Amino acid sequence: MTVTIVGSQLGDEGKGGVVDLYGDAADVVARYQGGDNAGHTVVHGGEKYKLSLVPSGAVRGKVGVLGNGCVVNPRTLFDEIETLREKGLDPDVRVAERAHVILPFHRVLDGIEEDVKSEDDQEVGTTGRGIGPTYEDKAGRRGVRVGDLLDPDVLRARLEYVVPQKRTLVEDVYGADVSDLENPDAFDVDALFEEFREIGQRLDEQDMTVNASAFLTDAMADDETVMFEGAQGTVIDIDHGNYPYVTSSNPTAGGAAVGTGLSPNVIADGEIIGIVKAYLTRVGSGPLPTELGGVEGDTPGYDEQGDGENEELATYIREEGGEYGTVTGRPRRVGWLDMPMLRHSARVNGFTGLAINHIDVLAGLEEVKVGHSYELDGEELLAMPPTTEEWGDCEANLKSFEGWDDVDWSAVADEGYEAIPENARSYLEYVADELEADIYAVGVGPGREETVVVENPYE
């Protein structure tokens, strides 16, 4: 039995909490893409855990696997494991030998490129953590993989090939002097070799590296249950998102097969749960047809959208929902729920169920709106158009719902689905009907116990 957790929007939907919610029944939780730009917040026993790389199941004591589709910053990995240990946990994390390594020069180049793009208002809004440049090297067949760290001769050869190219890129293309950079050692073969050779030894001594495909296949052969955890969301998938304002990997359900080395049949035979935030947020640039109000400096459209009644409402939702990036702390842009976006996600992923979070954040509003469809060149669209330029020209056709009262949400979680205010249930059932998927869970607060569980995907 497998369960795949997929973000249906632009990330920040609460995937980590859903992994934690259903994590008791899982033996292994595997991340299948992304790097330490993916922030997951899990609340357990009154303690808040902010994870950017370690799979969320670690909080429940599950085996965590970073699949071959991930890019791994070993410094972040060891720091997070140590932080969890300091909080009394004993995380068991394995890393695919086929996963690619984020090296210091990747982070430097990420920052330089975003600075250059910002001069022409083309910045993507990356976290600057080297994710994109690492995937670029993976696709360019010049990357360093986790398995390479275990063999000093291979590691040295890889670095001697790629580092001179990066120095040339910095100096000849971007016009910078490596020696003037904050971290010139990021482009020093000897310094990199010594650091990452020691990291390889540490990974080997702690028996952390695995062939992810074989490890997960063997686990399922032993009747262990595997949960696949996606990072980010469908609409920033590099193939199916609003390119170029996307991440560099595939958060969609298909990425679970590619990013772990398991057959697509394994994913399709299990449950695929789409995680939906009851409204919409994003960090970074790109269109947002249902946007209520921008974040100053975050989008060229801010001056037009960033004032008046809608901006007050956006600020209210942002504060009530704690809508600040888990990794970066950046304030998120806020909009109404976008159904064309969700219909696109449902088609791409094949959701068998939905977990809808944060309906408590909208409580107390007199009216809650949803972008039911788009208007583009006089035509009504029920799903996102294929190009970002067309998406940016779309206007949302809004559908209104009567608001619901703020109630004792802890009591609602205890009593079950029928205790959710009637107007909120109408809102939830509209989403489920439009996406043709059953509601499995409703998040009414940040804690695991503040979730209305409707269906158990393991039963």
Side-chain angles (χ1 to χ4, degrees):
M1 178 66 193
T2 66
V3 174
T4 303
I5 304 297
V6 181
S8 66
Q9 295 155 306
L10 290 146
D12 309 316
E13 302 96 346
K15 296 178 292 296
V18 176
V19 172
D20 184 55
L21 172 69
Y22 291 127
D24 259 353
D27 300 292
V28 180
V29 178
R31 273 272 307 272
Y32 56 85
Q33 47 78 221
D36 59 333
N37 58 341
H40 290 169
T41 301
V42 177
V43 179
H44 173 49
E47 183 82 48
K48 182 178 288 187
Y49 300 89
K50 292 191 174 184
L51 306 172
S52 60
L53 189 57
V54 170
S56 302
V59 175
R60 287 253 194 180
K62 308 301 179 179
V63 176
V65 176
L66 295 174
N68 55 275
C70 296
V71 290
V72 179
N73 185 330
R75 296 174 178 175
T76 302
L77 176 61
F78 289 132
D79 285 348
E80 284 194 4
I81 289 173
E82 185 58 35
T83 297
L84 292 173
R85 286 174 177 160
E86 289 172 357
K87 293 187 176 183
L89 302 179
D90 185 23
D92 182 356
V93 181
R94 314 298 177 90
V95 187
E97 289 190 25
R98 288 186 170 95
H100 280 249
V101 179
I102 300 172
L103 295 161
F105 57 73
H106 289 129
R107 294 173 64 99
V108 175
L109 288 166
D110 200 349
I112 291 175
E113 185 169 358
E114 278 291 280
D115 287 343
V116 171
K117 287 181 176 180
S118 68
E119 297 174 3
D120 298 317
D121 290 330
Q122 296 184 48
E123 68 270 31
V124 175
T126 76
T127 58
R129 295 187 171 224
I131 312 299
T134 306
Y135 278 114
E136 285 182 38
D137 281 350
K138 174 181 179 177
R141 297 177 296 278
R142 55 181 173 269
V144 175
R145 301 199 295 180
V146 169
D148 299 335
L149 306 185
L150 309 180
D151 187 326
D153 292 337
V154 172
L155 175 60
R156 169 68 75 169
R158 295 277 192 269
L159 292 173
E160 288 181 345
Y161 176 74
V162 71
V163 172
Q165 296 180 35
K166 302 306 178 184
R167 290 182 67 96
T168 300
L169 180 61
V170 169
E171 295 173 346
D172 293 355
V173 176
Y174 294 121
D177 189 329
V178 166
S179 61
D180 292 336
L181 297 175
E182 185 175 340
N183 182 17
D185 283 349
F187 298 86
D188 185 293
V189 171
D190 291 334
L192 291 171
F193 175 74
E194 288 303 320
E195 178 181 359
F196 285 86
R197 179 180 60 82
E198 291 179 5
I199 287 172
Q201 291 174 343
R202 184 174 178 182
L203 290 168
D204 189 39
E205 289 167 0
Q206 297 184 22
D207 197 26
M208 291 178 65
T209 62
V210 295
N211 178 335
S213 174
F215 183 86
L216 295 170
T217 299
D218 290 346
M220 289 186 290
D222 291 337
D223 292 327
E224 293 187 347
T225 299
V226 178
M227 177 177 283
F228 300 103
E229 178 181 17
Q232 291 95 30
T234 295
V235 185
I236 56 172
D237 182 286
I238 194 166
D239 289 299
H240 304 292
N242 61 315
Y243 187 91
Y245 305 105
V246 292
T247 195
S248 300
S249 56
N250 295 109
T252 41
V258 176
T260 60
L262 294 177
S263 163
N265 291 335
V266 172
I267 310 302
D269 284 346
E271 295 273 5
I272 301 173
I273 303 178
I275 315 305
V276 180
K277 184 179 283 184
Y279 47 94
L280 187 60
T281 62
R282 84 168 299 165
V283 170
S285 304
L288 209 60
T290 63
E291 184 163 21
L292 284 165
V295 177
E296 189 170 9
D298 200 25
T299 170
Y302 173 77
D303 290 337
E304 299 173 11
Q305 304 176 62
D307 54 17
E309 182 179 347
N310 281 347
E311 177 58 23
E312 291 180 11
L313 182 55
T315 299
Y316 172 81
I317 294 173
R318 185 181 299 117
E319 294 301 320
E320 288 294 306
E323 295 299 348
Y324 297 86
T326 302
V327 173
T328 64
R330 290 185 295 181
R332 295 170 181 151
R333 297 161 63 190
V334 176
W336 294 122
L337 195 67
D338 187 319
M339 288 307 302
M341 175 187 292
L342 291 177
R343 294 187 192 100
H344 168 77
S345 295
R347 182 181 67 243
V348 168
N349 291 291
F351 297 139
T352 60
L354 303 172
I356 304 179
N357 290 321
H358 284 30
I359 67 162
D360 56 304
V361 173
L362 300 178
L365 299 178
E366 291 185 7
E367 182 181 42
V368 175
K369 296 182 180 180
V370 174
H372 177 77
S373 63
Y374 298 147
E375 188 82 16
L376 178 63
D377 296 331
E379 180 183 357
E380 185 183 30
L381 302 182
L382 294 178
M384 289 176 61
T387 73
T388 299
E389 289 72 24
E390 289 178 309
W391 194 36
D393 290 335
C394 288
E395 292 187 12
N397 296 316
L398 298 176
K399 178 181 176 68
S400 295
F401 291 81
E402 290 186 19
W404 48 90
D405 293 334
D406 198 8
V407 297
D408 183 345
W409 294 104
S410 295
V412 168
D414 289 337
E415 294 173 25
Y417 185 78
E418 293 302 319
I420 295 173
E422 182 178 358
N423 288 348
R425 278 186 278 126
S426 297
Y427 183 77
L428 294 169
E429 287 156 16
Y430 159 79
V431 176
D433 289 344
E434 290 293 324
L435 302 187
E436 299 181 356
D438 293 336
I439 295 174
Y440 280 15
V442 180
V444 296
R448 179 189 305 154
E449 68 283 356
E450 296 172 287
T451 304
V452 177
V453 179
V454 182
E455 296 282 349
N456 185 338
Y458 297 103
E459 294 179 352

